[in-house]
Structures are given as structure tokens and as C-alpha cells.
């Protein structure tokens, strides 16, 4: 069982509510999402492992069991080319669950006309193996979902 933590503070929501079919239709895998609190903050690693992919707007951490979790900061934020994001770690770094990875401000993302919602996805997970734990408001570091 892998416990996946909320990478940001905000309101936990079903992945199917994300305004992007790549996430809402589960094309990259099951998971949950967070409507983040507005204002400057830090996205933390949802699991302990190694950062195998790091972009300003998204990152993937793979645990020692080989399971990867994608954190995507906002929708269509790749178009910002890193503007409004600050990397606090590097690709290849070993991180612990709860360690800051990216600093960002969801209010800035929203002001630019994009949704700041944060999908958190269990990559390559089999359907039915992810169970949401969080309901309502979460703090960064709270349990978001369990991956059986």
C-alpha cells in the first residue's frame, strides 16, 4: 500500500472534475486533484523517492517500490515556460514525502486565465487500486489517497 500525500493545500476533489480530459478521463492514470489555496506556496513531494522528471509546472516522484506519482501544478501551465514557478529540487534528487519541490502561486496562474487545479496521479496504476482518503479541505502533507 502506498500512501500519497497532498502536495498542496486546498480542497480535495475527484480527478474527473479536472477541466482537462487528459486527467478527467484518467488517460494518465487514476488519482485525485486539489483546488489549491490562492497565494504563494510550495508544492511538496507526495511520496518518498527519486524525482525522475522535473519541470517547473509538473514533477514525477518514483518510490523505492517503482510506483510513480505525477503532480501537475495547474492546467495548461506548460505554456508558461516556467514563469511563476521556482524549482526547489533537481531531477535525480532523492526526496522524502513532504519535502518542498516547487514554489509557485496559484493566484498568479489563475490571473493569467488558467486553472490552478492540481491533479495528483498514480502513474500506471490499475483501475480500482486508488482509493481517495481526503475529503474537503487538506493541508499539504495530509493523506490524499491510498494506492493498493
Amino acid at each position: 500500500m502506498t500512501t500519497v500525500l497532498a502536495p498542496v493545500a486546498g480542497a480535495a476533489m475527484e480527478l474527473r472534475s479536472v477541466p482537462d480530459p487528459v486527467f478527467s478521463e484518467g488517460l494518465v492514470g487514476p488519482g485525485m486533484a486539489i483546488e489549491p489555496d490562492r497565494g504563494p506556496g510550495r508544492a511538496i513531494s507526495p511520496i518518498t523517492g527519486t524525482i525522475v522528471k522535473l519541470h517547473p509546472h509538473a514533477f514525477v516522484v518514483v518510490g523505492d517500490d517503482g510506483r510513480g506519482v505525477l503532480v501537475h501544478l495547474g492546467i495548461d501551465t506548460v505554456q508558461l515556460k516556467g514563469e511563476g514557478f521556482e524549482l526547489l529540487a533537481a531531477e535525480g534528487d532523492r526526496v522524502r514525502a513532504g519535502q518542498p519541490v516547487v514554489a509557485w502561486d496559484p493566484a498568479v496562474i489563475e490571473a493569467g486565465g488558467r486553472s490552478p487545479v492540481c491533479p495528483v496521479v498514480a502513474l500506471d496504476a490499475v483501475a480500482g487500486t486508488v482509493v481517495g482518503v481526503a475529503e474537503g479541505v487538506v493541508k499539504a502533507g495530509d493523506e490524499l489517497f491510498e494506492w493498493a
Side-chain angles (χ1 to χ4, degrees), residues 124-146:
D124 300 320
V126 177
T129 60
V130 170
V131 178
V133 173
E135 290 183 16
V137 176
V138 294
K139 297 186 301 288
D142 285 353
E143 290 187 14
L144 185 62
F145 62 83
E146 296 281 352

Side-chain angles (χ1 to χ4, degrees), residues 11-92:
M13 57 191 277
E14 298 283 335
L15 201 56
R16 67 174 171 257
S17 300
V18 172
D20 181 332
V22 170
F23 296 108
S24 63
E25 294 175 12
L27 300 179
V28 290
M32 289 187 70
I34 299 171
E35 182 65 47
D37 292 345
R38 302 308 189 260
R42 294 175 169 200
I44 64 170
S45 180
I47 61 171
T48 295
T50 302
I51 299 173
V52 297
K53 191 55 73 179
L54 178 62
H55 299 285
H57 69 282
F59 57 94
V60 175
V61 179
V62 173
D64 293 336
D65 59 2
R67 291 178 164 189
V69 177
L70 166 68
V71 175
H72 203 283
L73 302 172
I75 303 301
D76 295 329
T77 45
V78 65
Q79 300 165 354
L80 298 175
K81 297 179 172 43
E83 188 177 334
F85 300 91
E86 177 189 355
L87 299 179
L88 305 174
E91 203 167 285

